[in-house]
């Protein structure tokens, strides 16, 4: 996790370019005290939103008064537990198309899941740069989506 000075430098860098600064937390378990220190620094820098990648950090962000954005670790596909996985050389084009279609559907499509997230104050989620079924994007409850493109 970056030091408070590194966070301040990064925020200044983005503010100078008129960009919003959002801190992205890694999935965290054993470094909870360090995370609390980071929240203190972020409050001093008047950062309002943070990207979280696990439920523990989501709860901590909410309890510290931050607006959490769900990170890409929350992007889960809806899939049958018993999907037969085969290596590409062993499946037909039709089987491949069917498997590809399965991973296009995200849990965010489920109304009750979006309602649950909204009840926690979550209004924005990050997803991997993948092809997904976008039909749920215009349905209530609405979620804002960030598409994650890794820096190359």
């Amino acid at each position: 996790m970056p030091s408070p000075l590194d966070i301040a430098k990064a925020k200044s860098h983005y503010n100078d370019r008129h960009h919003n600064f959002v801190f992205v937390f890694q999935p965290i378990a054993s470094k909870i005290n360090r995370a609390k220190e980071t929240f203190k620094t972020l409050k001093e820098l008047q950062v309002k939103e943070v990207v979280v990648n696990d439920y523990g950090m989501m709860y901590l962000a909410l309890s510290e008064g931050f607006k959490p954005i769900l990170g890409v670790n929350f992007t889960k596909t809806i899939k049958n537990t018993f999907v037969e996985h085969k290596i590409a050389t062993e499946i037909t084009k039709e089987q491949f198309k069917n498997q590809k279609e399965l991973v296009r559907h995200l849990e965010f499509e489920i109304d009750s899941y979006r309602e649950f997230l909204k009840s926690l104050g979550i209004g924005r989620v990050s997803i991997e740069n993948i092809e997904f079924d976008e039909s749920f994007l215009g349905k209530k409850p609405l979620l804002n989506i960030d598409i994650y493109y890794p820096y190359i």
Side-chain angles (χ1 to χ4, degrees), residues 11-149:
K11 184 176 186 305
S12 175
H13 174 80
Y14 285 99
N15 284 352
D16 291 346
R17 286 157 181 76
H18 306 287
H19 294 294
N20 291 332
F21 177 80
V22 177
F23 188 82
V24 178
F25 277 97
Q26 65 192 24
I28 196 147
S30 62
K31 298 183 182 176
I32 199 74
N33 289 333
R34 179 63 194 243
K36 288 179 180 180
E37 291 172 20
T38 301
F39 278 121
K40 182 179 175 188
T41 299
L42 295 172
K43 279 183 184 177
E44 291 168 2
L45 295 171
Q46 299 179 352
V47 173
K48 306 273 187 237
E49 294 181 310
V50 294
V51 177
V52 297
N53 280 292
D54 61 49
Y55 284 104
M57 187 55 67
M58 180 185 74
Y59 173 77
L60 186 58
L62 288 166
S63 68
E64 293 285 337
F66 287 85
K67 184 166 185 150
I69 300 166
L70 298 188
V72 295
N73 282 1
F74 281 91
T75 303
K76 304 292 184 213
T77 57
I78 300 171
K79 55 187 171 281
N80 183 332
T81 307
F82 302 105
V83 171
E84 192 174 331
H85 296 283
K86 297 181 179 182
I87 58 174
T89 57
E90 295 178 356
I91 62 175
T92 67
K93 287 183 182 181
E94 187 62 28
Q95 287 171 320
F96 178 75
K97 181 181 172 192
N98 291 341
Q99 285 190 349
K100 186 177 177 186
E101 180 62 26
L102 281 172
V103 298
R104 291 186 66 230
H105 297 281
L106 305 176
E107 285 182 340
F108 303 126
E109 293 176 41
I110 302 169
D111 294 347
S112 58
Y113 186 61
R114 292 194 315 276
E115 287 171 9
F116 167 70
L117 295 177
K118 294 296 257 188
S119 74
L120 295 174
I122 310 283
R124 215 163 118 196
V125 297
S126 302
I127 63 169
E128 293 280 357
N129 176 23
I130 57 173
E131 184 180 326
F132 66 96
D133 181 355
E134 301 173 10
S135 62
F136 73 95
L137 292 178
K139 295 180 183 174
K140 292 187 177 184
L142 298 174
L143 281 178
N144 293 310
I145 304 287
D146 294 339
I147 307 290
Y148 175 72
Y149 289 91

